[in-house]
Amino acid sequence: MPISLCGHELQIASWNGRGIVVHRTQEFFDMGNAIRKLALNRHILCFQEVHGHSAAVRASFSRWLPGWNIVPSVCIDFQGFPDPASGGIVIAVCPKLASFCEIEPLEIVPGRCLSVSLSALVGGLQRNLQVLTVHNYGLTFSQVNDIGNHLDSSLQICQAQPCQFFALLTGDFNFAARDDRTFEIGRPE
């Protein structure tokens, strides 16, 4: 990566947790342990399908990743209310980066596409790293357009100033090939 914000190799991980915050059972605690383990030697973590209300998501991740900057985005339903049973994404920034970077979140599609911009003065130049995470399940045409427009804008900025701007796209992408069928229990393959 042309922009070093941490003085050495930047480590980023992305994980679809399939309902990380949904249950208050042993599985919930196991998720916390898995997330703590995933965070070892990582600078930025991107999660998809965290599920849950914004406050619960933030509280759970703050407990699992103390000192990290936690940026959640939860899905909303067609009436504009939080939909904790659907999707939800989080970008978490480690304490080291959070200590010297300005962190600016941008929710592009609630619970489905989130961008976090990290900027810092490095080597006398203002450097910017944009991390986007996407869970594209169930997006409308308009939402896909919004994400595409944001990606196009990010690309133009990176191309115009490659020594100062860098963008990274992570996520859970659901695309079917032309001949793919949806799996149904009881239907032979």
Side-chain angles (χ1 to χ4, degrees), residues 88-108:
I89 52 183
V90 166
I91 297 178
V93 179
C94 77
K96 180 180 180 179
L97 283 180
S99 71
F100 68 87
C101 286
E102 183 179 323
I103 300 171
E104 185 179 329
L106 175 62
E107 192 175 56
I108 299 161

Side-chain angles (χ1 to χ4, degrees), residues 3-180:
I3 296 176
S4 176
L5 292 176
C6 59
H8 58 283
E9 193 173 297
L10 187 69
Q11 296 291 320
I12 300 174
S14 178
W15 182 40
N16 180 324
R18 295 187 187 171
I20 294 171
V21 182
V22 173
H23 305 288
R24 298 282 176 189
T25 62
Q26 184 61 44
E27 184 179 355
F28 176 79
F29 295 104
D30 291 344
M31 288 289 197
N33 290 332
I35 288 169
R36 280 190 283 274
K37 192 179 218 180
L38 184 65
L40 295 174
N41 302 313
R42 299 293 191 321
H43 299 100
I44 300 171
L45 299 173
C46 301
F47 298 93
Q48 304 83 40
E49 286 198 62
V50 297
H51 297 242
H53 291 281
S54 188
V57 170
R58 186 181 297 279
S60 296
F61 276 86
S62 293
R63 185 173 38 253
W64 296 328
L65 301 170
W68 285 60
N69 187 302
I70 308 299
V71 182
S73 174
V74 298
C75 286
I76 57 173
D77 65 18
F78 66 94
Q79 294 176 320
F81 295 107
D83 185 3
S86 296
I89 52 183
V90 166
I91 297 178
V93 179
C94 77
K96 180 180 180 179
L97 283 180
S99 71
F100 68 87
C101 286
E102 183 179 323
I103 300 171
E104 185 179 329
L106 175 62
E107 192 175 56
I108 299 161
V109 177
R112 296 295 182 192
C113 184
L114 177 66
S115 169
V116 170
S117 215
L118 293 92
S119 57
L121 192 62
V122 179
L125 285 175
Q126 189 68 28
R127 310 287 179 130
N128 184 287
L129 169 66
Q130 183 180 59
V131 178
L132 291 97
T133 192
V134 175
H135 180 218
N136 75 333
Y137 179 79
L139 293 175
T140 66
F141 180 79
S142 173
Q143 291 169 329
V144 170
N145 260 354
D146 291 346
I147 294 168
N149 289 335
H150 185 81
L151 291 173
D152 286 343
S153 174
S154 296
L155 176 62
Q156 289 173 5
I157 292 168
C158 291
Q159 287 176 327
Q161 299 178 29
C163 293
Q164 291 176 271
F165 290 89
F166 189 81
L168 178 69
L169 175 65
T170 69
D172 176 11
F173 304 98
N174 299 282
F175 297 104
R178 274 199 183 137
D179 58 345
D180 277 357

